[in-house]
Amino acid sequence: MIVNWKEEMTKIDPDIKFRAQGGWLKTVEELDKSVTNGYSLVGDFVKAGDFEEEYSEGLYLDCNKEGTAKKPQTDYRLFRFRDGKVRLLDLVIDAPRSWAQEFWDAVEEEL
């Protein structure tokens, strides 16, 4: 289905400063607990921004960087895309180093 990722993110979080300092989006296809960082959420990076793009149904992890260069803030959001709707499952705002592990339970439930 065709989706504008910025529009979807803004609907879910109207206060988001979408990609103010960068960010990315990736699919989450499996969980690898042999590592504890972001590589534990296995998937492919996909294009996302203020444009329309084709997305398949599934789990997506969005990394949005806000703040300033001196005081950055990195936020992660886990989404389920199904039946043409994007649904927020979990989020970590101003993420610590162990941010990926905070998504493990939600990913296991969804996979």
Side-chain angles (χ1 to χ4, degrees), residues 92-108:
V92 177
I93 301 297
D94 203 10
R97 290 182 57 87
S98 62
W99 65 268
Q101 295 173 49
E102 295 187 35
F103 290 116
W104 285 5
D105 289 342
V107 169
E108 285 180 321

Side-chain angles (χ1 to χ4, degrees), residues 81-99:
F81 181 58
R82 183 183 306 158
D83 299 326
K85 294 183 171 78
V86 177
R87 181 172 55 97
L88 179 65
L89 300 174
D90 202 356
L91 71 146
V92 177
I93 301 297
D94 203 10
R97 290 182 57 87
S98 62
W99 65 268

